[in-house]
């Protein structure tokens, strides 16, 4: 059933590129940006060498690139593109526009902290800025998951009851440039799982005039289209479950909308997303060895937001803590707010703690994880939930002091 | 509260008319609110404007869907299903229509149950101002209908037009035209149309993207939309003077001017909007401007 599969050491970027190659993509508009560039370089090399049959066009900007991706998808072909951070911001206007066209292309975003100050390492302010655009979002922890998610994303996006573009997200550096063993599925089996895209609504043809993305005046008309997008995005929840079940049967790897780690009997739950979840899992494992009943919930499908699955995973626990690798400046953790919203009407809701950690790729040390575990247990025993806090160590602050002196500020 | 809705074409002055009425009411101590609604600011395209007048603070905003008074500044809009100027009009309501026709003929033709008043304010504006700009005139008509005072109207026209022109003579003429309309119409006792049509809240049914994407799949339908009824003047060629220089053909912004077998230009009157750029540009002065009345 699994057919012939090969395992290789691949970076996250190469894994994404392989997912695209296996998906029989027809057209790739591209623009380079660190740490994503290796994806489009791999694809362009394969196309040049004849290993992939796709159109590849380098664009003048991400704004044009996302527009081209949407327009090409509107002709009814399968489209892929990739960006990161500043690039995603530069094309931002078009994210809303093309998702409104209801075109099912897939884009990879390789997360990187946003300027200023400019940096290269990951956090999720870039991808979470796109959370309201209409794009589906799948967030990955491993290179294998990144490859597999491309295949799943096309199935989801192209489903007749969805028809929205999708973003597959992974962390820059921590996945994009990190190699680990990845199984590359057999192409024939992939084709059975992901047959060619047959558009029913977006198929520009010569001499067959039609208008897409037309202007509307009047709130009732605009509301209809916007809410239909919302319902279509939500439809992707049940479709996701079917698709991931089929994926598991075909390839032997299963991915829930959320992933539970040592969660079954956990009294305390750490909530994370993307590649840093691996470090969270290690911390949970250590805590378990000390006899603490702690588990981890990893958020994978961010849009549509799997409210029911999150509520089920968290209800009845004593306390949960969200590590937001992002910051809504002036508010705090974005995912904390979203999860608080999910839990508010749940009678058996746990206490909910908020931490900001890993901004710009900052390490989260054992001591910081232990600090969170202690805070959850203390909150439960005292009933006092601490204020949201930044994970930051004394050694890191000392290093900042040194850097400030170097910069002439101390 | 009294709610007045103006319908006009872009450039005719519906927005300023709603402001003249709003300011006149404000000057008499009422609470007032005015607001225009238009699309991509295209001359000749249907627009609407709204004025609310109340003795109490106004806790409404936006579109007036159930007006007490409707002012139709261009009667061809009555045939436009998108502008739909009579929508939401109750039997107690009143419609003022700028037309050459009599009220009873209009009522019959458009099957209007409500009260109708008519006056050819285009003619008045051409006579007094020399051009078909109707803002002060429609504002004057509306002020009379809702029983405001002549002095408030005069001051309102002055204030509103001072914002857009410094030509003192033009303002004076607008006041004259506005007062003319004011005096030509009866004052009417209007019952405020307080009934609110109820429509239940529903659950939005889902439709797949082949239906629910904002796309139009039938072949291009723009040619079906005739714009000839936007005209107030039509260009008429005098072939005795015409030198066949083709300047008019090149200057027509809508590509409406064609050439006949003898090489003379002629207009596609189904689509010509009457902008008269052709007449302005004609070096031989061979194109004259004829007032047009849309008779049925």
């Amino acid at each position: 059933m699994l057919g012939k599969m090969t395992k290789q050491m691949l970076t996250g970027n190469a894994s994404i590129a392989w997912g695209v190659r296996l998906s029989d993509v027809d057209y790739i508009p591209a623009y380079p940006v660190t740490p994503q560039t290796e994806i489009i370089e791999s694809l362009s090399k394969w196309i040049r060498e004849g290993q992939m049959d796709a159109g590849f066009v380098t664009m003048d900007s991400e704004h044009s690139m996302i527009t081209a991706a949407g327009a090409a998808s509107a002709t009814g072909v399968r489209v892929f593109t990739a960006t990161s951070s500043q690039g995603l911001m530069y094309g931002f206007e078009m994210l809303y526009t093309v998702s409104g066209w209801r075109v099912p292309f897939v884009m990879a975003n390789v997360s990187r902290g946003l300027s200023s100050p400019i940096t290269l390492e990951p956090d999720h302010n870039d991808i979470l800025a796109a959370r309201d655009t209409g794009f589906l979002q799948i967030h990955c922890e491993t290179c294998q998951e990144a490859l597999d998610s491309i295949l799943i994303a096309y199935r989801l996006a192209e489903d007749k009851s969805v028809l929205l573009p999708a973003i597959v997200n992974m962390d820059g550096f921590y996945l994009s440039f990190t190699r680990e063993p990845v199984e590359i599925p057999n192409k024939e089996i992939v084709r059975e799982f992901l047959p060619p895209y047959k558009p029913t609504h977006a198929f520009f043809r010569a001499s067959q005039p039609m208008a897409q993305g037309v202007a509307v005046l009047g709130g009732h008309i605009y509301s209809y289209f916007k809410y239909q997008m919302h319902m279509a995005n939500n439809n992707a929840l049940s479709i996701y479950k079917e698709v991931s079940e089929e994926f598991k049967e075909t390839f032997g790897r299963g991915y829930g909308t959320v992933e539970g780690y040592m969660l079954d009997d956990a009294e305390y739950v750490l909530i994370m997303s993307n590649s840093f979840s691996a470090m969270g899992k290690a911390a949970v494992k250590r805590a378990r060895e000390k006899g603490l009943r702690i588990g981890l919930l990893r958020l994978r499908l961010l849009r549509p937001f799997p409210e029911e699955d999150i509520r089920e995973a968290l209800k009845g626990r004593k306390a949960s803590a969200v590590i937001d690798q992002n910051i809504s400046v002036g508010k705090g953790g974005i995912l904390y707010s979203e999860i608080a919203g999910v839990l508010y009407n749940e009678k058996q809701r746990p206490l909910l703690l908020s931490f900001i950690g890993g901004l710009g790729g900052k390490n989260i040390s054992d001591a910081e994880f232990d600090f969170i575990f202690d805070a959850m247990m203390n909150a439960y025993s005292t009933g006092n939930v601490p204020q949201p806090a930044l994970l930051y160590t004394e050694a890191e602050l000392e290093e900042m002091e040194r850097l400030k002196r170097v910069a002439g500020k101390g | 509260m009294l709610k007045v809705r103006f319908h006009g074409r872009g450039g005719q002055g519906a927005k300023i008319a709603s402001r003249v009425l709003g300011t006149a009411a404000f000057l008499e101590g009422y609470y007032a609110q005015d607001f225009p609604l238009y699309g991509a600011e295209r001359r000749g395209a249907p627009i609407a404007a709204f004025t609310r007048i109340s003795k109490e603070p106004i806790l409404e905003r936006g579109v007036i869907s159930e007006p007490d008074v409707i002012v139709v500044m261009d009667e061809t809009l009555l045939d436009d299903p998108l502008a739909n100027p009579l929508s939401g009009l109750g039997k107690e309501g009143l419609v003022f229509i700028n037309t050459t026709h009599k009220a009873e003929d209009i009522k019959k033709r458009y099957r209007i149950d409500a009260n109708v008043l008519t006056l050819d304010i285009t003619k008045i504006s051409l006579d007094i101002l020399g051009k078909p700009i109707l803002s002060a005139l429609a504002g004057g008509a509306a002020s009379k209908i809702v029983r405001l005072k002549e002095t408030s109207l005069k001051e309102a026209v002055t204030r509103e037009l001072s914002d857009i022109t410094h030509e003192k003579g033009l303002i004076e003429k607008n006041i004259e035209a506005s007062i003319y309309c004011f005096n030509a119409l009866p004052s009417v006792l209007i019952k405020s149309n307080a009934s609110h049509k109820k429509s239940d809240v529903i659950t939005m049914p889902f439709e797949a993207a082949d239906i629910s994407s904002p796309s139009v799949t039938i072949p291009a339908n723009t040619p079906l939309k005739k714009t000839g009824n936007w005209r107030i003047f039509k260009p008429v060629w005098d072939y005795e003077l015409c030198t066949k220089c083709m300047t008019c053909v090149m200057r027509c912004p809508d590509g409406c001017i064609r050439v006949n077998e003898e090489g003379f230009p002629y207009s596609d009157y189904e689509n010509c909007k009457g902008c008269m750029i052709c007449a302005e540009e004609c070096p031989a002065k061979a194109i004259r401007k004829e007032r047009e009345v849309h008779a049925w």
Side-chain angles (χ1 to χ4, degrees):
Chain A
M1 191 57 203
L2 299 184
K4 189 171 163 289
M5 294 190 185
T6 52
K7 230 171 191 181
Q8 291 187 33
M9 287 293 282
L10 290 184
T11 61
N13 280 340
S15 303
I16 294 266
W18 264 104
V20 176
R21 176 170 162 172
L22 292 171
S23 299
D24 269 338
V25 163
D26 300 299
Y27 177 72
I28 302 163
Y31 191 84
V33 53
T34 302
Q36 163 283 118
T37 308
E38 189 190 354
I39 298 176
I40 58 167
E41 281 174 348
S42 305
L43 292 168
S44 92
K45 177 170 168 281
W46 287 333
I47 291 167
R48 178 162 38 87
E49 291 171 352
Q51 286 159 302
M52 261 186 88
D53 181 18
F56 185 97
V57 180
T58 49
M59 307 300 292
D60 62 290
S61 71
E62 288 85 356
H63 191 281
S64 305
M65 181 187 86
I66 294 167
T67 311
S73 190
T75 68
V77 299
R78 189 171 280 160
V79 177
F80 172 80
T81 190
T83 190
S84 172
S85 186
Q86 308 300 128
L88 186 72
M89 294 300 109
Y90 197 73
F92 204 80
E93 173 192 8
M94 294 315 293
L95 297 178
Y96 281 86
T97 302
V98 298
S99 72
W101 296 350
R102 307 293 302 273
V103 285
F105 69 91
V106 173
M107 176 161 80
N109 182 66
V110 183
S111 268
R112 165 183 151 188
L114 291 170
S115 187
S116 288
I118 198 158
T119 188
L120 294 173
E121 289 179 84
D123 67 36
H124 305 138
N125 266 102
D126 59 354
I127 184 64
L128 290 178
R131 69 181 178 161
D132 305 332
T133 57
F135 275 66
L136 310 168
Q137 287 197 12
I138 300 175
H139 291 222
C140 304
E141 181 189 336
T142 67
C143 294
Q144 182 73 61
E145 193 182 337
L147 187 158
D148 293 346
S149 295
I150 294 289
L151 312 182
I152 291 170
Y154 278 112
R155 275 287 301 272
L156 266 188
E158 291 171 4
D159 191 282
K160 194 177 183 311
S161 68
V162 179
L163 287 169
L164 284 167
I167 296 177
V168 173
N169 190 68
M170 71 171 174
D171 286 335
F173 289 74
Y174 289 73
L175 280 197
S176 71
F177 298 161
T178 302
R179 293 205 313 164
E180 57 192 23
V182 173
E183 196 158 74
I184 301 172
N186 177 292
K187 183 150 186 181
E188 296 311 310
I189 299 173
V190 170
R191 196 163 292 159
E192 274 172 42
F193 173 77
L194 179 66
Y197 167 47
K198 291 204 179 76
T200 58
H201 79 296
F203 43 80
F204 278 128
R205 294 279 183 277
S207 307
Q208 200 179 308
M210 64 188 285
Q212 290 194 12
V214 299
V216 299
L217 281 178
H220 60 299
I221 310 173
Y222 185 80
S223 299
Y224 167 84
F225 290 112
K226 272 286 162 185
Y227 205 78
Q228 289 292 339
M229 281 173 73
H230 173 61
M231 287 192 288
N233 199 301
N234 274 336
N235 285 345
L237 267 181
S238 58
I239 304 298
Y240 180 85
K241 285 175 188 176
E242 291 167 24
V243 169
S244 69
E245 194 54 42
E246 194 184 323
F247 189 90
K248 192 177 178 184
E249 281 168 22
T250 311
F251 301 103
R253 292 181 293 276
Y255 302 100
T257 60
V258 293
E259 180 199 359
Y261 179 79
M262 294 189 167
L263 200 58
D264 290 348
D265 64 341
E267 294 173 331
Y268 299 95
V269 181
L270 184 61
I271 302 169
M272 297 181 71
S273 73
N274 291 283
S275 69
F276 277 46
S277 307
M279 300 179 223
K281 286 175 181 174
V284 164
K285 209 169 151 210
R286 279 191 300 104
R288 284 277 176 173
E289 282 159 12
K290 286 189 243 167
L292 303 174
R293 283 164 69 180
I294 293 178
L296 182 140
L297 182 73
R298 178 171 69 91
L299 304 176
R300 173 173 149 77
L301 189 63
L302 263 283
R303 284 292 181 274
F305 200 54
E307 299 211 350
E308 198 54 46
D309 295 340
I310 293 169
R311 189 158 44 235
E312 281 305 308
L314 296 179
K315 79 175 190 193
R317 317 283 181 181
K318 289 179 175 172
S320 295
V322 184
I323 301 183
D324 268 292
Q325 201 173 353
N326 64 73
I327 184 161
S328 171
V329 176
K331 172 64 175 78
I334 293 169
L335 297 176
Y336 167 74
S337 296
E338 296 218 330
I339 288 167
V342 168
L343 292 176
Y344 187 80
N345 288 323
E346 170 54 48
K347 289 196 174 63
Q348 299 179 61
R349 66 186 180 201
L351 299 175
L352 193 62
L353 287 72
S354 170
F355 296 93
I356 303 290
L359 293 185
K362 191 197 92 68
N363 181 50
I364 304 177
S365 61
D366 291 352
E368 285 157 283
F369 282 113
D370 290 344
F371 178 83
I372 295 171
F373 300 156
D374 287 344
M376 279 197 279
M377 291 184 284
N378 192 46
Y380 181 73
S381 62
T382 63
N384 295 323
V385 176
Q387 288 297 305
L390 174 72
L391 300 175
Y392 207 79
T393 65
E394 197 173 7
E396 286 162 343
L397 190 60
E398 279 168 16
E399 169 66 0
M400 267 314 295
E401 292 302 325
R402 190 185 69 79
L403 289 170
K404 283 193 274 182
R405 284 193 298 276
V406 171
K409 292 185 172 178
Chain B
M1 187 180 340
L2 208 55
K3 296 182 251 188
V4 182
R5 190 171 72 205
F6 295 81
H7 290 271
R9 293 194 179 278
Q12 260 183 339
K15 171 182 159 183
I16 299 297
S18 77
R19 290 185 164 193
V20 166
L21 180 63
T23 295
F26 165 73
L27 292 169
E28 288 190 26
Y30 291 105
Y31 289 95
Q33 188 190 77
D34 51 58
F35 157 70
L37 182 71
Y38 37 79
E41 280 131 58
R42 189 163 49 105
R43 198 159 263 269
I47 82 142
F50 313 92
T51 307
R52 292 182 171 92
I53 301 169
S54 174
K55 288 178 180 161
E56 310 289 329
I58 297 169
L59 299 177
E60 283 185 19
R61 299 217 174 269
V63 167
I64 293 172
S65 53
E66 291 176 11
D68 304 304
V69 176
I70 295 174
V71 176
V72 181
M73 293 164 64
D74 185 319
E75 72 164 293
T76 64
L77 290 170
L78 291 166
D79 289 318
D80 188 323
L82 276 180
N84 197 10
L86 299 179
S87 79
L89 178 69
K91 277 189 185 170
E92 306 282 323
L94 184 141
V95 197
F96 170 81
I97 297 167
N98 171 24
T99 176
T100 53
H101 295 281
K102 286 188 199 137
E104 60 252 42
D105 297 338
I106 289 271
K107 280 183 86 156
K108 244 183 255 164
R109 179 171 167 90
Y110 294 103
R111 299 199 186 101
I112 303 173
D113 287 338
N115 308 300
V116 174
L117 289 173
T118 64
L119 187 64
D120 184 2
I121 61 171
T122 302
K123 182 175 186 307
I124 299 164
S125 78
L126 290 173
D127 289 349
I128 299 177
L129 306 176
K131 50 187 170 183
I133 303 296
L134 308 176
S135 38
L137 295 89
S143 297
K144 183 63 172 290
I145 291 166
V146 305
R147 312 178 106 188
L148 295 174
K149 296 190 184 86
E150 192 178 316
T151 46
S152 335
L153 172 64
K154 207 170 158 181
E155 174 62 16
V157 171
T158 308
R159 285 194 190 189
E160 293 308 323
L161 293 192
S162 300
D163 275 353
I164 48 180
T165 178
H166 295 298
E167 233 180 282
K168 197 125 205 275
L170 188 60
I171 297 174
E172 291 303 323
K173 280 182 189 171
N174 268 285
I175 292 170
E176 185 192 338
S178 184
I179 301 296
Y180 186 95
C181 297
F182 185 91
N183 289 325
L185 287 167
S187 159
V188 189
L189 184 63
I190 297 154
K191 280 190 215 155
S192 186
N193 177 10
S195 83
H196 286 282
K197 263 189 225 147
K198 257 199 191 159
S199 180
D200 293 334
V201 174
I202 51 104
T203 303
M204 175 67 77
F206 173 72
E207 291 176 302
D210 52 351
I211 302 293
S212 70
S213 64
S215 58
V216 179
T217 51
I218 59 164
N221 53 12
T222 308
L224 302 177
K225 183 90 182 163
K226 305 295 181 198
T227 49
N229 66 356
W230 296 15
R231 279 197 308 275
I232 296 188
F233 299 104
K234 73 174 176 186
V236 179
W237 277 259
D238 182 342
Y239 292 155
E240 302 273 304
L241 298 174
C242 175
T243 62
K244 302 180 182 175
C245 71
M246 299 298 130
T247 302
C248 57
V249 177
M250 281 185 291
R251 295 297 185 188
C252 176
D254 287 309
C256 284
I257 302 173
R258 293 164 199 172
V259 181
N260 67 17
E261 282 170 7
E262 289 127 59
F264 286 114
Y266 69 97
S267 186
D268 161 18
Y269 288 124
E270 281 199 333
N271 290 297
C272 165
K273 295 168 184 165
C275 69
M276 302 309 297
I277 289 173
C278 52
E280 295 281 337
E281 296 292 330
C282 177
K285 301 286 165 225
I287 305 170
R288 73 173 185 278
K289 192 167 153 180
E290 251 181 36
R291 167 81 207 270
E292 210 172 3
V293 174
H294 296 276
W296 1 281

